[in-house]
Amino acid sequence: MQAYIVHFGELGLKGRNRIFFVRQLVKNIRAALHDAEGAEGPPVEVAPFHSHILVKVSGGLPAEVIEARLGKVFGIAYFAPTVVIPADFETISQTALQLAEGVVTSETTFKVDTTRGDKQFPIYSQEVNREIGARIVARTGAPVKLKNPDVTVSIQIYEDAAYCFVRRLPGAGGLPVGVSGRVLALFSGGIDSPVAAHMMLKRGCTLDLLHFHLLPGSELARASKIVDMARAVLAPHRLAAVLYLVSAAPFETAMAEVRTRTATVVFRRFIMRAAEQLALRRKALALVTGESVGQVASQTLPNINLISQATTLPILRPLIGYDKAEIVTAAQGIGTYELSIQPYKDPCSVHARNPATWANLDEVRRVEAEIDVTTLLETTVRDYVDEVWIEF
Ligand code: ATP
Ligand code: MG
């Protein structure tokens, strides 16, 4: 059996919010480990435990796999592989000594940090620290350092068991997916939107994705890199989502004869309207884009303003204040960058010739009337949406 003590961050969480958060996190951890196969008893036990969550996995999954998966569950600040032992002093002491011997040497500093959750336990925490600390010094020759030691030997003592650990692994941070409501992320083939989608997952949002393509037929769209990119955003976290693949063909056909420098803004407004309708199908509460102020012509503040006016849903733009270089670094970090730079013909690229950086609302409305945007939208949402379920 492998056991982990999981700590969640977000210090501000209080009261009912906290209960809701913990419940969702327990559920998400269970889902991330659900394929563990135990020989006897439940293979995975996940339960709130004092101020943290206790995870027990019996058999099936190797420790590296469990740790890799826990490391990607949003809402975990850090987690520690722990030994679970009877709560008596001698057992605790021997276990602590054994664990310390693996990582503490005369070259490293350490401290013992005991929490006595069971106030009936006959020895005070400080005394446990001192006594076990002395034994570790005697065995390893390592000096004690109370402030910022290299190794902390943690001991938590409760009525029914004690927990001892020396390793803490970083979690993904953020909030558990599912606590913040559903969003629909506008997903292009580029660098930015996968990062934006990732950031909303990290804030606890349930995610669906929407991509407008210029490919002849949904078979080709399903075989495109967009599907791989969606999986690259979701699979590390063992999450699934709906990906809407929508053809931009009717729109492009309607625009073919129209001469205007506002085409990009008109298209972006069209995307927002379609997104709003699809968002309502899944009760999503907001749209998400990878826009950042001033990055390209369509992302000047005046144009962002016109784009926002196309929908009443809030448009979340988590990258709004980021430099391109920062977004690239983030994309490399989450593993989407390589797919993003693979060649792909994005609908936006076709009307990007000399676009207006300050599109005029009257001109935009004139173009929208000329192409009969309402009918176009109806046709697109009715006949040109392919719904793909993305899972790992
Ligand atoms: P990205 O790297 O995300 O493509 P970008 O720098 O290329 O961004 P734009 O092309 O102006 O910027 O796109 C801005 C945002 O609009 C994108 O981040 C995405 O959210 C949305 N978007 C753009 N093109 C599409 C598309 N074909 N389908 C769905 N959403 C799109
Ligand atoms: Mg783009």
Side-chain angles (χ1 to χ4, degrees):
M1 193 262 286
Q2 279 132 334
Y4 298 86
I5 285 181
V6 172
H7 283 261
F8 31 88
E10 299 290 335
L11 295 171
L13 286 170
K14 294 205 182 77
R16 283 170 53 82
N17 242 350
R18 184 186 170 95
I19 295 166
F20 178 56
F21 174 110
V22 173
R23 219 176 268 156
Q24 185 70 52
L25 185 53
V26 164
K27 217 162 115 186
N28 294 358
I29 293 173
R30 235 177 245 148
L33 302 173
H34 85 282
D35 53 344
E37 285 169 25
E40 61 237 18
V44 181
E45 283 176 67
V46 185
F49 185 75
H50 300 277
S51 61
H52 47 260
I53 291 172
L54 188 63
V55 178
K56 292 182 183 171
V57 186
S58 41
L61 294 176
E64 308 86 71
V65 174
I66 300 170
E67 288 169 21
R69 292 200 192 161
L70 286 178
K72 294 285 187 189
V73 175
F74 291 117
I76 296 179
Y78 69 90
F79 61 100
T82 186
V83 181
V84 186
I85 43 177
D88 71 79
F89 181 75
E90 271 315 310
T91 311
I92 294 170
S93 176
Q94 277 166 28
T95 306
L97 207 52
Q98 263 170 24
L99 285 180
E101 275 188 304
V103 286
V104 177
T105 69
S106 56
E107 306 295 307
T108 53
T109 59
F110 82 99
K111 76 168 173 188
V112 180
D113 181 20
T114 303
T115 321
R116 208 169 48 121
D118 171 20
K119 297 299 174 202
Q120 306 302 314
F121 191 75
I123 311 171
Y124 288 127
S125 323
Q126 285 307 328
E127 218 170 306
V128 175
N129 290 345
R130 257 196 311 275
E131 179 57 31
I132 295 180
R135 293 187 191 186
I136 294 174
V137 173
R139 184 75 63 88
T140 62
V144 173
K145 187 170 172 238
L146 296 182
K147 225 174 175 183
N148 296 324
D150 298 320
V151 179
T152 298
V153 179
S154 299
I155 297 167
Q156 300 188 350
I157 304 169
Y158 298 104
E159 265 162 60
D160 50 347
Y163 301 83
C164 187
F165 55 92
V166 291
R167 266 196 319 142
R168 283 159 185 252
L169 304 167
L175 296 171
V177 170
V179 300
S180 303
R182 183 179 295 277
V183 296
L184 178 60
L186 284 89
F187 204 61
S188 72
I191 296 167
D192 309 340
S193 45
V195 176
H198 171 93
M199 287 172 77
M200 297 319 299
L201 284 178
K202 189 169 177 181
R203 290 319 296 163
C205 293
T206 311
L207 187 75
D208 290 316
L209 299 164
L210 162 61
H211 174 69
F212 267 85
H213 64 84
L214 271 180
L215 299 160
S218 46
E219 283 313 308
L220 285 176
R222 283 178 179 236
S224 74
K225 74 168 190 175
I226 301 300
V227 171
D228 300 328
M229 290 177 70
R231 204 168 280 124
V233 169
L234 295 156
H237 309 283
R238 299 181 72 73
L239 294 167
V242 163
L243 166 64
Y244 292 109
L245 293 167
V246 187
S247 170
F251 180 88
E252 295 303 335
T253 307
M255 287 294 285
E257 302 301 315
V258 181
R259 296 185 62 83
T260 177
R261 287 179 64 205
T262 62
T264 308
V265 171
V266 172
F267 178 59
R268 220 32 84 61
R269 283 164 59 93
F270 182 71
I271 287 189
M272 293 304 165
R273 292 193 178 101
E276 178 179 280
Q277 295 201 10
L278 294 171
L280 293 178
R281 283 192 193 173
R282 305 260 303 161
K283 299 197 170 65
L285 297 169
L287 306 178
V288 178
T289 74
E291 287 160 309
S292 133
V293 168
Q295 197 186 82
V296 289
S298 61
Q299 298 176 19
T300 61
L301 213 42
N303 286 351
I304 284 181
N305 183 289
L306 295 184
I307 293 163
S308 293
Q309 287 183 42
T311 174
T312 52
L313 283 180
I315 302 174
L316 307 180
R317 299 175 169 97
L319 304 178
I320 200 71
Y322 278 48
D323 291 345
K324 192 72 185 188
E326 292 170 326
I327 302 172
V328 165
T329 305
Q332 287 163 336
I334 64 172
T336 52
Y337 182 73
E338 292 303 325
L339 283 166
S340 291
I341 59 173
Q342 278 175 22
Y344 179 74
K345 192 171 165 211
D346 190 77
C348 284
S349 59
V350 300
H351 29 70
R353 292 172 293 262
N354 192 23
T357 51
W358 194 312
N360 172 293
L361 184 57
D362 290 338
E363 166 68 0
V364 167
R365 291 224 171 102
R366 185 193 65 74
V367 173
E368 286 175 349
E370 190 179 336
I371 61 173
D372 187 3
V373 78
T374 313
T375 308
L376 207 51
L377 188 67
E378 250 175 52
T379 313
T380 299
V381 173
R382 191 187 56 226
D383 300 333
Y384 290 88
V385 178
D386 183 25
E387 191 176 321
V388 188
W389 180 242
I390 303 289
E391 52 188 352
F392 44 86

